[in-house]
């Protein structure tokens, strides 16, 4: 009996080791894909939007991204139901119709995400890739502030210090780009102020929508994929409305997929992948590695911009980017454990640990 128990314990230990190893591989694989996705999607958008000739409708691309994410989430839920279509329909009916109040709550972040996705196209079309990547990290500051205000979260001194460093780094990059707006990396028809305004509004909306979405997720037991389906439904409807208001007449004349190329479809699927990849990274990766991934994507984007778009890197940009990368890493570090002190109990020489 003892030998059988020992053998079973050994088997369980081996299974646990294999499971941890698999999770470790998935963690680093998801982060590697996230780095490539973050850098490549921005580079591709910049490349396509600055090519001479006809431009595709960015509003239609936003709608297509929402449809791809929506379809992917439905397939994932169907997989969870083991391919049982009836169970899927019942599950969706309960999540979308019966719990309609929760469904309506998703209209707010969906509206903001739709606005944010459209603004990103404006920002990337008017800003150098490296500049956009650095300034887009401003969303860390807005997310932190909204987390404190809406979720009552507390930030450590190191995190507050990193936010100050982040703001300083973005300010340095902004100043140096302001002085060199007429550089050779500027594409014809590019409006730097429009791009700057778009990325700032996008950062604020990203921070609010992310915290609002987190608050909703913590308040209910609905799955992440169901929430993404709800987001996708509202996102598609709002995206269609924005597309009609902005490009409706032109789409009627030229068609929904006007100027769509294989590269445009790559961008659409890449953006959809990025939206779904976040869930995997949140589940399997820690904050330090996520911060490292964001920093590495900035480096890759900057190097690629130098070679492909003639982006000029000066000392001030390197200083500002270095501050931003350092701030991202510092903010991602785990909080220090609460201080532990030894306190004597009354009338005894024994001591106990008191957590302050």
């Amino acid at each position: 009996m003892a030998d059988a128990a020992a053998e079973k314990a050994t088997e369980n230990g081996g299974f646990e080791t294999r499971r941890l190893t698999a999770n470790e591989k998935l963690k680093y694989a998801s982060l590697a894909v996230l780095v490539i996705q973050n850098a490549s999607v921005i580079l591709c958008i910049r490349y396509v939007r600055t090519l001479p000739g006809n431009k595709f409708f960015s509003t239609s691309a936003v709608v297509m991204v929402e449809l791809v994410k929506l379809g992917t989430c439905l397939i994932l839920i169907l997989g969870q139901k083991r391919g049982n279509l009836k169970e899927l329909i019942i599950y969706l009916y309960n999540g979308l119709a019966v719990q309609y109040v929760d469904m309506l709550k998703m209209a707010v972040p969906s509206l903001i995400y739709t606005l944010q996705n459209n603004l990103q196209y404006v920002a990337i079309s008017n800003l150098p890739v490296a500049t956009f990547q650095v300034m887009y990290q401003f969303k860390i500051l807005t997310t932190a502030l909204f987390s404190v205000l809406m979720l009552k979260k507390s930030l450590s001194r190191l995190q507050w210090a990193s936010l100050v460093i982040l703001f300083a780094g973005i300010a340095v990059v902004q100043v140096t780009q302001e002085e060199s707006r007429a550089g050779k990396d500027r594409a014809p028809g590019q409006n730097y102020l429009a791009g700057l305004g778009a990325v700032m509004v996008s950062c604020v909306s990203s921070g609010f929508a992310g915290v609002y979405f987190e608050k909703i997720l913590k308040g209910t037991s609905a799955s992440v994929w169901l929430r993404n389906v709800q987001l996708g439904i509202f996102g598609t409807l709002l995206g269609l409305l924005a597309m009609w208001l902005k490009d409706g007449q032109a789409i009627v004349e030229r068609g929904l997929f006007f100027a769509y190329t294989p590269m445009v479809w790559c961008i659409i699927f890449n953006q959809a992948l990025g939206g779904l990849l976040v869930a995997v990274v949140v589940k399997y990766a820690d904050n330090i590695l996520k911060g490292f991934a964001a920093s590495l994507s900035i480096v890759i984007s900057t190097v690629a911009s130098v070679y492909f778009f003639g982006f000029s890197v000066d000392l001030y940009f390197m200083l500002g980017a270095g501050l931003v990368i350092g701030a991202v890493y510092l903010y991602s570090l785990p909080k220090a454990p609460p201080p532990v002190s030894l306190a004597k109990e009354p009338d005894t020489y024994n001591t106990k640990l008191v957590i302050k």
Side-chain angles (χ1 to χ4, degrees):
M1 293 292 292
D3 292 340
E7 184 178 350
K8 185 175 181 181
T10 302
E11 290 179 358
N12 291 338
F15 174 77
E16 184 68 17
T17 300
R18 289 193 298 272
R19 187 183 67 82
L20 292 175
T21 302
N23 286 347
E24 193 75 8
K25 291 180 179 179
L26 184 58
K27 175 174 70 175
Y28 287 106
S30 62
L31 283 168
V33 174
L34 183 63
V35 171
I36 297 172
Q37 189 274 334
N38 281 345
S40 63
V41 70
I42 297 171
L43 290 167
C44 290
I45 291 176
R46 175 68 177 179
Y47 172 75
V48 172
R49 298 298 287 179
T50 55
L51 283 175
N54 295 322
K55 302 289 191 299
F56 69 96
F57 300 113
S58 60
T59 52
S60 71
V62 170
V63 173
M64 295 309 299
V65 170
E66 291 297 328
L67 287 174
V68 171
K69 289 195 295 185
L70 178 59
T72 304
C73 289
L74 289 174
I75 293 174
L76 290 172
I77 296 175
L78 181 61
Q80 292 177 344
K81 303 301 178 182
R82 299 182 179 180
N84 191 317
L85 190 59
K86 182 179 179 180
E87 287 189 15
L88 173 65
I89 294 174
I90 295 174
Y91 180 76
L92 293 177
Y93 175 76
N94 289 329
L96 304 180
V98 177
Q99 302 176 15
Y100 67 92
V101 175
D102 284 342
M103 170 75 172
L104 292 176
K105 291 179 181 178
M106 302 308 294
V108 175
S110 183
L111 173 62
I112 298 174
Y113 282 137
T114 303
L115 171 66
Q116 176 189 342
N117 291 335
N118 282 282
L119 287 174
Q120 283 186 6
Y121 276 97
V122 176
I124 298 172
S125 300
N126 291 282
L127 292 176
V129 172
T131 304
F132 171 82
Q133 276 282 59
V134 172
M135 291 188 173
Y136 195 54
Q137 302 310 310
F138 185 73
K139 66 182 180 180
I140 296 175
L141 174 60
T142 60
T143 302
L145 295 179
F146 282 121
S147 296
V148 172
L149 294 175
M150 296 173 60
L151 300 179
K152 308 302 180 183
K153 287 187 176 181
S154 61
L155 301 180
S156 65
R157 293 180 181 178
L158 181 61
Q159 287 179 315
W160 282 115
S162 67
L163 293 178
V164 174
I165 296 173
L166 175 71
F167 186 81
I170 292 175
V172 171
V173 171
Q174 162 62 17
V175 170
T176 183
Q177 290 301 297
E178 190 76 26
E179 294 175 350
S180 59
R181 271 200 251 170
K184 62 180 180 179
D185 58 301
R186 181 180 178 184
Q190 180 177 327
N191 188 328
Y192 183 84
L193 290 179
L196 178 63
V199 74
M200 289 294 103
V201 175
S202 182
C203 288
V204 174
S205 63
S206 174
F208 176 80
V211 173
Y212 184 91
F213 187 52
E214 180 182 352
K215 188 173 183 179
I216 291 177
L217 283 179
K218 290 182 176 179
T220 62
S221 58
S223 71
V224 174
W225 302 126
L226 177 61
R227 288 304 188 191
N228 276 282
V229 168
Q230 295 170 340
L231 279 175
I233 292 174
F234 280 115
T236 301
L237 295 176
L238 293 170
L240 287 171
L241 177 61
M243 182 181 69
W244 178 255
L245 293 176
K246 185 176 184 294
D247 301 312
Q249 186 61 38
I251 289 176
V252 170
E253 296 174 358
R254 301 181 181 182
L256 180 64
F257 303 113
F258 174 73
Y260 269 47
T261 63
M263 179 65 76
V264 175
W265 283 108
C266 287
I267 292 172
I268 289 172
F269 284 104
N270 200 346
Q271 283 188 300
L273 171 66
L276 298 173
L277 190 62
V278 172
V280 179
V281 173
V282 167
K283 182 175 182 179
Y284 291 102
D286 53 48
N287 286 328
I288 299 177
L289 291 177
K290 282 192 292 181
F292 177 77
S295 302
L296 190 57
S297 66
I298 294 175
V299 175
I300 293 175
S301 299
T302 302
V303 174
S305 297
V306 172
Y307 283 98
F308 295 114
F309 303 113
F311 181 73
S312 56
V313 179
D314 56 20
L315 181 61
Y316 291 105
F317 181 87
M318 291 179 62
L319 173 62
L323 289 173
V324 170
I325 291 173
V328 171
Y329 175 77
L330 291 176
Y331 185 83
S332 302
L333 290 176
K335 292 183 179 181
V340 179
S341 62
L342 292 175
K344 288 187 177 181
E345 290 186 347
D347 302 325
T348 180
Y349 292 102
N350 296 325
T351 59
K352 66 177 181 178
L353 291 178
V354 179
I355 308 298
K356 292 185 178 179

